[in-house]
Amino acid sequence: MTTHLPTSSLPSTRLSKVALPFSKSWNRAQFTFPKCPRFSIGPLRCAVSVVSEPIQSEKTNNGKPYPAEVSRTIMELSSVGTLSTPTLDGWPLGFGVRFAVDPHGTPVLFLNDATSKLSVNCKSSIHVQFEQYGLRTPQCTIQGTLEKPEDTTALKLHSVWKKRFGHEVDEDHLFLLSVERVLQLEDFAEDGIWVTSSDYKLANPDPLRDFAERMIEEINTHNREDILRFCNIYVDLDFQVSDAKMLWVDRLGFDVRFRSPQNDVFEARIPFPREVTDEKGAKSSFNCMSQLAWEVEKNFHAAEFEKAKQLKKIEYTGL
């Protein structure tokens, strides 16, 4: 069982049908979205199916992926971590290592003769960080025992390593870190959530992970007005946002960090109207949400959806 610490509960956005022009703020020469369902020339229209209930999924956590899924995503997107293990005199020692992961998320590490003698068959951990747009650094720490794999397993690990790094290594220097439990943190100075070995191995990494960074970079660079509008329209605020950035996007929605006129910094979760599974679906959802937000801002359409109400104030960093 996963032990959950208190998290923000954000409602799902309820979207209604609209029949109004596209938001002019999207720079489509830079970031091209596919057409929404029933989009046609003449007047321009975008039909969005009504979501009558919040997003429901056995793998959702208040509109966000579960910590086990987040940890699997971090491990898939990273290739460098800090391995910590006790030395012969009992002192803990941490050093940087490269790693790959097998299909179950088990770390595969390459160790030279000196480091393998210090580490093998000892309780160890690997700590991995993944920076999101330079503003947030989710992390996971896997605890387990560093093991030398059997010969038949070593061959499989060799192919895993070659797929990740594109070159071959000596199989005698490949090791496995068994996954006994995982600590997942949203950022520095945040409380962590412990994940069981079974939950971690059964979880799937996020399907948007391979293009999320590129998509966020394009939006933050070319579509600042739309991110400001998303915060002002889809988040329940009593002020107008002065600056905003998108931090991350996954199958259930996206996280934004924004600044108030008093220079206070907050984060909020804005859910998609429905779960997406690929790049095309994510861009289509952004496109339709942008159109609706523009129409609400111009008073062409009422805000007939439930806004995100839970904010997290950021005390330790800026925007």
Side-chain angles (χ1 to χ4, degrees):
M1 296 294 292
T2 301
T3 303
H4 299 283
L5 299 185
T7 55
S8 298
S9 177
L10 296 177
S12 174
T13 304
R14 299 172 184 243
L15 301 182
S16 302
K17 292 184 178 180
V18 294
L20 296 161
F22 271 96
S23 166
K24 298 180 181 179
S25 61
W26 288 101
N27 185 344
R28 295 180 186 279
Q30 301 289 346
F31 194 82
T32 303
F33 290 108
K35 298 175 183 178
C36 297
R38 302 182 187 175
F39 177 79
S40 62
I41 302 297
L44 306 181
R45 308 176 71 91
C46 178
V48 183
S49 300
V50 174
V51 179
S52 57
E53 297 294 337
I55 296 174
Q56 298 292 331
S57 171
E58 62 180 4
K59 292 189 177 181
T60 64
N61 173 40
N62 295 320
K64 304 172 69 174
Y66 271 133
E69 185 178 353
V70 175
S71 292
R72 286 294 306 273
T73 301
I74 291 173
M75 296 299 290
E76 287 284 344
L77 291 174
S78 305
S79 59
V80 176
T82 301
L83 179 67
S84 297
T85 186
T87 60
L88 296 178
D89 55 5
W91 285 94
L93 178 66
F95 50 92
V97 293
R98 290 196 301 167
F99 70 89
V101 289
D102 71 6
H104 302 290
T106 304
V108 180
L109 301 93
F110 177 84
L111 302 178
N112 59 30
D113 291 332
T115 55
S116 64
K117 290 178 181 177
L118 291 173
S119 308
V120 70
N121 296 325
C122 293
K123 289 185 176 180
S124 306
S125 68
I126 185 170
H127 177 72
V128 181
Q129 301 177 174
F130 180 73
E131 190 174 85
Q132 295 178 341
Y133 206 69
L135 297 175
R136 188 173 66 181
T137 307
Q139 308 164 42
C140 71
T141 300
I142 295 178
Q143 293 184 330
T145 302
L146 198 67
E147 303 170 345
K148 190 71 181 74
E150 298 177 355
D151 292 341
T152 54
T153 305
L155 292 174
K156 296 179 181 179
L157 300 184
H158 184 270
S159 62
V160 168
W161 187 272
K162 185 176 181 180
K163 181 179 179 181
R164 171 64 69 92
F165 294 105
H167 63 83
E168 297 183 355
V169 293
D170 185 351
E171 296 171 8
D172 290 335
H173 289 90
L174 290 179
F175 292 81
L176 279 175
L177 179 63
S178 63
V179 180
E180 297 184 16
R181 64 175 183 170
V182 180
L183 179 65
Q184 196 272 317
L185 292 84
E186 288 191 2
D187 203 352
F188 293 109
E190 297 275 350
D191 292 333
I193 299 175
W194 285 103
V195 177
T196 66
S197 173
S198 59
D199 284 349
Y200 173 81
K201 292 178 180 179
L202 291 173
N204 293 314
D206 190 79
L208 308 190
R209 65 188 183 279
D210 290 333
F211 63 86
E213 285 186 284
R214 181 183 74 250
M215 186 173 176
I216 292 167
E217 176 67 27
E218 292 177 358
I219 292 175
N220 283 333
T221 301
H222 304 296
N223 302 100
R224 178 177 178 274
E225 291 184 3
D226 292 279
I227 301 303
L228 290 171
R229 186 177 296 115
F230 274 28
C231 296
N232 289 322
I233 298 299
Y234 291 117
V235 183
D236 189 10
L237 303 174
D238 57 3
F239 57 83
Q240 288 291 305
V241 172
S242 60
D243 192 15
K245 292 287 193 303
M246 185 179 293
L247 297 181
W248 191 247
V249 59
D250 54 56
R251 62 188 179 90
L252 300 177
F254 51 94
D255 300 317
V256 290
R257 180 174 291 186
F258 51 89
R259 189 188 302 277
S260 73
Q262 292 76 32
N263 284 325
D264 293 324
V265 178
F266 299 90
E267 282 186 16
R269 175 74 171 184
I270 300 178
F272 286 136
R274 65 180 63 81
E275 181 178 342
V276 299
T277 58
D278 54 27
E279 184 174 9
K280 181 179 179 180
K283 290 182 177 181
S284 179
S285 290
F286 274 116
N287 192 26
C288 293
M289 291 176 72
S290 174
Q291 177 184 346
L292 179 58
W294 187 84
E295 301 301 342
V296 171
E297 182 184 68
K298 301 302 181 182
N299 295 318
F300 294 143
H301 193 275
E304 298 175 348
F305 47 82
E306 192 172 0
K307 296 187 177 184
K309 298 182 183 297
Q310 299 297 322
L311 303 181
K312 181 170 69 174
K313 189 172 183 179
I314 307 300
E315 302 286 356
Y316 52 89
T317 187
L319 179 62

